Amino acid sequence: MMKTYDIIVIGGGPAGLAAGVAAHDAGVDNILIVERDDHLGGILNQCIHNGFGLHTFKEELTGPEYAQRFIDQVLEREIPYVLNTMVVDMSEDKVVTLMSRERGIETVQAKAIILAMGCRERPRGALNIPGYRPAGIYSAGTAQRLVNIEGYMPGKKVVILGSGDIGLIMARRMTFEGAKVQCVAEVMPYSGGLKRNIVQCLDDFDIPLLLSHTVVNIHGKDRLTGVTIAEVDERRRPIPGTETYYDCDTLLLSVGLIPENELSHNSGVQISPVTNGPVVDETMATNHEGVFACGNVLHVHDLVDYVSEEAGTAGRHAAEYVQGKVADKGEAVVLKAVDGVRYTVPATIHVNSMDDKVTVRFRVAGVFKNRYIGVYFNDERKVHRRKQVMAPGEMEQVILRKADLEAFDGLHTITIKVED
């Protein structure tokens, strides 16, 4: 007989742990958390810097400390979990195929599934950088694991391409370990990371940030010996005559994160072309009935505290689904992202089933100064909030209240935009 679980959580990182805890606290005991690594905690185990937990626990924690808080909650509730186990398939009727060295291939049945697989780094192959493939080129996350967990230094003279948060943090980390970070090059005219990381990781250590620059050549055949960096125009094409050679033995790539959604694709979950994550409603439910998504598999977050909050919503509503407490949702109100707003999560809201308030998170498409966030119910503006600075590296949010949505007769769209 195939074993049946009320809820299977795919991923034992911060999202999966928080979702499992929330589902348990909502009254569901028969839960299984599946993690492919040999420890719970996910990527936080290698993020040994501080800055986590200010929203969730009202104190500053390192990544492992933050993860341990939720691991302890899982252990206290005796929520079952399996490690070193990959989910290789998820069928339309929620049969999950697992593979592990100890148990081989097995199938389990779920009444509800929570997708919490996190994200992966964009590889060099997606960048079309000319040159050989010498030793010394790493993704920033791989270098972070080598230094913080394995105890290996990738190199001593470092150039970083991309100003995502992991790249910025690794610029500081490599400096702490005695390496010379020559520069951080960013192809966009703005940084992809948090402002605080630019200040704390680059400015405090006099590491140059070269905006509108990219690597145009890689030198060295067996081992990296240097890179050529050039300025780019508004169409991101290298400008002839702006090339500069940097002597280095290590190139770290911090060129974006991609939600890990092969499993979602294969099971028929609708994927947003903007976020590359599932399209969800206010309960974090996907179009695949009984399948919910949260965390970086849904869209890449800047703060793990928001991951935990979102996962709590997914866990709670997955529990309600299993318990048969989901009422008729009624018509969906569509959220439209226009005029400088790239996307919204959630993408739809059902007023009948929403909580008293729903936090809508989004990212903007460029750097905006002294502009306003506008929220429109149909064509009527309801919010006009000034922001001094908005940038793609930092998520924005608006809070929608159920009472306001119920009071608006004939509501069918909510539009969020950047405006004067």
Side-chain angles (χ1 to χ4, degrees), residues 251-284:
L251 174 65
L252 302 187
L253 305 177
S254 177
V255 289
L257 300 170
I258 306 169
E260 189 75 77
N261 271 303
E262 281 74 14
L263 196 63
S264 311
H265 270 291
N266 295 338
S267 64
V269 171
Q270 182 185 356
I271 302 296
S272 163
V274 180
T275 65
N276 291 312
V279 175
V280 297
D281 66 10
E282 76 289 346
T283 66
M284 300 295 125

Side-chain angles (χ1 to χ4, degrees), residues 122 190 272-276 299-300 335-345 361-366 368 391-393 416-418:
R122 184 173 281 111
Y190 50 79
S272 163
V274 180
T275 65
N276 291 312
H299 62 134
V300 177
L335 276 75
K336 294 172 62 178
V338 300
D339 296 346
V341 176
R342 295 185 62 237
Y343 67 88
T344 67
V345 172
R361 294 196 168 95
F362 59 93
R363 289 185 188 269
V364 293
F368 299 97
I416 302 178
K417 61 175 72 174
V418 176

